[in-house]
Amino acid sequence: MDVGNGWTCWWPAQMGKIEEVWRRAWSASAGPATVFQTFEFARHWIGTFTQSEVEIWVHSGSSLVLPLARRNDRVSLVGEGLFDYCDLIGPGADDAVLERAADIMAAGDLKPRATGVRADSPFMDFWRRLGEGAYFSAAPQRPASAGALPPTRVVGRWQRAEQAGVRAREETDVRERRAVVDWILERKQQHPANMLGALERRWIETVVEHSPHLAEVWSLRRGAHIMSGLLCWRYPPTRYCYTVAHDSADAALSPGILLLYFVVNCSMSTGWDVDFLTGEQDFKLRFATRRQALHKYGD
């Protein structure tokens, strides 16, 4: 445990000692704390990516948490590449605290990298100290206040699908949840643009299995046949649509869009915001009413 200028460094083996501090920091976040800043997400990531050198810095005065992972020639926040949103955790802090946090991250010869910093982050002073940020993408969103989806062609397709015996459901049985997650990940791995390696897949499976309160698994089926599957993260009042997949044999029916339509409708009727996360694909934009700009730091 290293100490300097109010900052204390904790190591992965000491995670249990700072769990309550982390949870309080998340609850007191100055900006939009997301599911990606939760203690559980970080703990599962650290337990999966054991080849990374992890340092968890906590500032005693402001209760900020700065979880760093050093690997190869890079230093990033824990979750880089898997967490759509990355940021410090906790309430706002003065310039001196953020300056020291930036010094900690930039120490040594490693190059800082961060992908998915929200434009409305309360810690932009910290990020600017690490270099010039560049626009990376946007995250389409639909707040619950947007209300029910307006009549579109999707409604007609959904009605015809229902008449043909197609049904959507949230998987609540443990075995069914795991089976649908495996089904989704297998199809993602077959996709040319797949970004999930063995460790990334293991992290997803670990969160679903060991933190079920943070994960939702949805499927669209005709009988026992799975047409599409959707994995969501959740933390009230937001449902995060993380990854969706479909059976290529059913592609003409757009089963992924039909499943998203069902989940968005459920969200609107129960007062949940929907976050479609990184990427401005058409299938997200048709349901979204706003976009959150995301920045990238480092090459």
Side-chain angles (χ1 to χ4, degrees), residues 17 20 37 48 68 80 114 136 182 236 240 265 279-280 296:
K17 296 181 179 180
E20 285 306 312
Q37 278 75 58
T48 301
L68 298 180
E80 170 70 21
F136 170 63
D182 287 344
Y240 304 85
N265 258 342
E280 300 173 86
K296 179 178 181 179

Side-chain angles (χ1 to χ4, degrees), residues 169-174 176-184 204 208-209 212 214-221 228-234 239 243 259 263:
R169 73 187 193 198
E170 181 186 355
E171 303 293 351
T172 56
D173 178 79
V174 173
E176 286 296 328
R177 280 166 59 90
R178 181 57 187 266
V180 174
V181 169
D182 287 344
W183 186 94
I184 293 171
I204 291 172
V208 173
E209 180 178 355
L214 297 179
E216 291 179 341
V217 183
W218 300 81
S219 69
L220 186 77
R221 299 172 182 256
S228 62
L230 171 66
L231 172 62
C232 295
W233 306 129
R234 67 181 178 198
R239 176 172 283 122
T243 189
L259 183 53
V263 172

Side-chain angles (χ1 to χ4, degrees), residues 151-160 257-258 261 286-287:
T152 64
R153 286 182 296 175
V154 179
V155 177
R157 279 193 284 174
W158 174 257
Q159 293 171 342
R160 290 190 293 273
I257 290 176
L258 291 179
Y261 168 80
R286 69 172 59 204
F287 299 123

Side-chain angles (χ1 to χ4, degrees), residues 116-172:
V117 178
R118 293 166 57 129
D120 62 354
S121 166
F123 305 110
M124 289 308 298
D125 286 345
F126 164 82
W127 292 111
R128 293 190 187 100
R129 294 177 187 277
L130 295 176
E132 187 71 26
Y135 178 82
F136 170 63
S137 181
Q141 301 170 338
R142 185 182 184 88
S145 60
L149 291 167
T152 64
R153 286 182 296 175
V154 179
V155 177
R157 279 193 284 174
W158 174 257
Q159 293 171 342
R160 290 190 293 273
E162 280 194 308
Q163 292 169 0
V166 175
R167 297 290 183 269
R169 73 187 193 198
E170 181 186 355
E171 303 293 351
T172 56

Side-chain angles (χ1 to χ4, degrees), residues 200-220:
E200 287 79 7
R201 175 169 178 163
R202 187 186 306 166
W203 175 80
I204 291 172
E205 293 169 339
T206 299
V207 176
V208 173
E209 180 178 355
H210 295 288
S211 294
H213 61 292
L214 297 179
E216 291 179 341
V217 183
W218 300 81
S219 69
L220 186 77

Side-chain angles (χ1 to χ4, degrees), residues 256-283:
I257 290 176
L258 291 179
L259 183 53
L260 276 174
Y261 168 80
F262 178 84
V263 172
V264 171
N265 258 342
C266 289
S267 301
M268 295 299 100
S269 64
T270 54
W272 282 67
D273 300 332
V274 179
D275 192 324
F276 298 99
L277 299 176
T278 307
E280 300 173 86
Q281 298 92 332
D282 288 343
F283 71 87

